[in-house]
Amino acid sequence: MHRKDSFQYKQFTIQQRHAAMKVGTDSDLLGALAAGGTRILDVGTGTGVISLMLAQRYPEATITAVEIDDDAIIDAHSNFAASPWADRIMLVHSSFQDYLARCRAAGATGAFDCVVCNPPYFDKSLECPDGGRTRARHSSSLPFAVLAEGAYAMLGSEGVFSVCIPGEVLADFSAACFLQGFWLKDVYQIKTLPHKPAKRFVLVFSKGAPTTRVDHTHCMRTAEGGRSEWYLQLMEPFHVGSSAIKKMNNGKY
């Protein structure tokens, strides 16, 4: 079932009647490719889809999901409560800045081994009149430098920080992370079609010692326009119907 207000995954359902930003390719890519751990912080959880995908991928993980928007909180709360992992996900209604300040005051920084974020990235000059979409989409609500500094503070000494961003902000976002002290560990360059340049980048940064960067280039669709084998395999644990499409692509029926 895929409607505007609902998206059915194999092991959970996303209700998205209230949240400004709906389930999309960015959240699916990040949920499937982000580095994980046993203590995960999801910054700007929205509907909660990334937290739920990580809960499915990492059965031993406990997840703290932070969200500022009142409407998104309604959907995230409902989605977490109805999922098989409600006891492993804690929803926090707060801006990341305020959450970080409270953690610092309590001496609770460095508590996570994984931070994940699908960050706002549009320039302030392009803000839309809808306040919820502005917070979800525009970097004025969470500047890159503030996100990078906060993620670094909340991670333990060997922690990892995963994001999904478009190519137009790749340099600026990477610079903010490098200045903070992160090392780039994995770069997933995601193309829509083989002949087109990468449109989205999933980046995995490491807080620990310098690491060797590994580049991965993948395509979501074939030259003929169908779903690629890579994308079908990536989404097979999550998307309803992906197994059937994969079999059709392989000529099994």
Side-chain angles (χ1 to χ4, degrees), residues 69-177:
D69 188 73
D70 296 346
D71 292 330
I73 281 286
I74 297 172
D75 287 332
H77 181 271
S78 173
N79 294 331
F80 292 159
S83 78
W85 314 292
D87 61 337
R88 294 199 282 120
I89 306 176
M90 180 177 70
L91 181 61
V92 178
H93 190 181
S94 171
S95 70
F96 182 51
Q97 293 91 325
D98 288 346
Y99 175 75
L100 178 62
R102 291 196 300 272
C103 288
R104 281 181 163 143
T109 55
F112 297 93
D113 46 32
C114 170
V115 174
V116 61
C117 182
N118 189 8
Y121 51 78
F122 291 140
D123 185 83
K124 184 177 175 62
S125 63
L126 302 176
E127 288 185 1
C128 59
D130 184 307
R133 286 180 68 82
T134 291
R135 282 189 295 273
R137 298 183 63 160
H138 294 276
S139 58
S140 59
S141 63
L142 184 56
F144 293 162
V146 174
L147 173 58
E149 190 273 337
Y152 197 89
M154 294 306 298
L155 285 168
S157 60
E158 301 297 323
V160 288
F161 175 36
S162 301
V163 298
C164 181
I165 58 173
E168 56 263 32
V169 300
L170 177 63
D172 288 345
F173 190 88
S174 298
C177 291

Side-chain angles (χ1 to χ4, degrees), residues 197-210:
K199 185 176 181 181
R200 286 291 184 269
F201 293 79
V202 173
L203 308 178
V204 180
F205 295 91
S206 172
K207 182 177 176 177

